[in-house]
Amino acid sequence: MPSNLGLAHFWQQGDIVTHSVAILLLVLSIASWSLTITRFFQQLRFNRTMDGVFASFWGADSIGVALDKIEREDKTGVFAGLAQAGVQAAQAHQRHADRGIGAGVNLSETVTRALRSQIVRSQVGIESGLTFLASVGATAPFIGLFGTVWGIYHALVALSGSSQVVLDKVAGPVGEALIMTAAGLFVAIPAVLAYNALTRANRLIFAQLDGFAHDLHAYLTTGVHLPAVTGQAASARLVPVPAAA
């Protein structure tokens, strides 16, 4: 009897609905694991980038050199893109402050808008895939449960023509149908754990990005930078932003 309770027997006894549910869960599992591994290595790049990108930027002698350094150090492009957006906005305001539709906007508001827009674009890229993981974690158990219910219904229909119900004939199909519930949980639990871990990691990235944006805004609007570096001293070498770097 044990030979009749394996996955192969379950697959042979299943119909197109149970096969479709099993294939769907397999696809969701592969996709969620692939996305989790990809985002894990992306997070490692962010961690390595944040170790030296701020020191290289604020330690430069001019804003042009600072942009070159942060572009080389920032493998993710997030912090370099924020610095470029802020500097370009400041330079554009200085060149066109007296004409155009933005003539009445001051430098601080211009830089703030540019930095905020760049942060939103970066946030979209950083959070890509999290919605999929959350959806998998929320729906996979119900997909597996649907497969279980359908499998039990399919087994009961197959036994409906029998004159008497034998426990062995019922336990096998029902046990095999319950495999779908276990498969749904197997897909959902790693997706939920990965979503929670990546969400927490993203909060740390956004905190660093927000702090860099505030420092950058203060420097571009006042020409002064007071770095908030924990555990080590740092000196500002940058000079005020010229009209053209």
Side-chain angles (χ1 to χ4, degrees), residues 10 13-15 17-19 21 143-159 170 172-180:
F10 168 68
Q13 296 299 318
D15 57 1
V17 176
T18 55
H19 290 173
V21 171
I143 295 175
L145 183 61
F146 171 76
T148 297
V149 173
W150 186 266
I152 293 175
Y153 166 76
H154 187 69
L156 294 178
V157 169
L159 294 173
V170 177
V174 172
E176 293 163 359
L178 291 175
I179 295 175
M180 300 300 293

Side-chain angles (χ1 to χ4, degrees), residues 102-162:
V105 181
N106 58 32
L107 176 61
S108 177
E109 187 174 353
T110 301
V111 174
T112 298
R113 289 178 178 178
L115 294 177
R116 185 182 296 117
S117 299
Q118 184 62 32
I119 288 177
V120 171
R121 286 192 292 268
S122 299
Q123 185 175 2
V124 172
I126 293 172
E127 292 184 339
S128 63
L130 291 184
T131 301
F132 175 78
L133 289 177
S135 300
V136 171
T139 59
F142 297 102
I143 295 175
L145 183 61
F146 171 76
T148 297
V149 173
W150 186 266
I152 293 175
Y153 166 76
H154 187 69
L156 294 178
V157 169
L159 294 173
S160 61
S162 301

Side-chain angles (χ1 to χ4, degrees), residues 9-94:
H9 179 73
F10 168 68
W11 182 263
Q12 293 173 359
Q13 296 299 318
D15 57 1
I16 187 173
V17 176
T18 55
H19 290 173
S20 299
V21 171
I23 293 174
L24 177 59
L25 289 175
L26 178 62
V27 171
L28 291 177
S29 179
I30 295 174
S32 61
W33 275 105
S34 300
L35 180 60
T36 300
I37 294 173
T38 302
R39 292 301 307 274
F40 173 76
F41 286 106
Q42 181 181 356
Q43 184 62 39
L44 289 180
R45 287 197 299 270
F46 272 109
N47 293 339
R48 288 195 294 264
T49 294
M50 288 187 293
D51 289 339
V53 66
F54 301 124
S56 63
F57 180 82
W58 295 117
D61 296 326
S62 66
I63 192 64
V65 176
L67 290 177
D68 291 337
K69 284 187 175 182
I70 196 173
E71 188 174 355
R72 290 194 301 268
E73 292 286 340
D74 186 9
K75 304 302 181 182
T76 65
V78 173
F79 300 100
L82 183 65
Q84 291 173 356
V87 172
Q88 290 174 1
Q91 294 174 351
H93 181 273
Q94 292 179 2

Side-chain angles (χ1 to χ4, degrees), residues 156-242:
L156 294 178
V157 169
L159 294 173
S160 61
S162 301
S163 59
Q164 55 180 323
V165 178
V166 182
L167 182 60
D168 293 341
K169 293 183 178 180
V170 177
V174 172
E176 293 163 359
L178 291 175
I179 295 175
M180 300 300 293
T181 301
L185 294 176
F186 178 79
V187 175
I189 292 175
V192 172
L193 294 177
Y195 172 81
N196 292 334
L198 290 173
T199 300
R200 180 183 180 278
N202 286 345
R203 285 200 298 267
L204 298 178
I205 296 174
F206 294 146
Q208 295 285 346
L209 196 62
D210 186 67
F212 182 52
H214 278 83
D215 291 344
L216 194 61
H217 176 271
Y219 167 71
L220 293 175
T221 54
T222 65
V224 178
H225 172 244
L226 298 177
V229 180
T230 304
Q232 59 181 1
S235 60
R237 292 178 173 270
L238 293 177
V239 297
V241 182

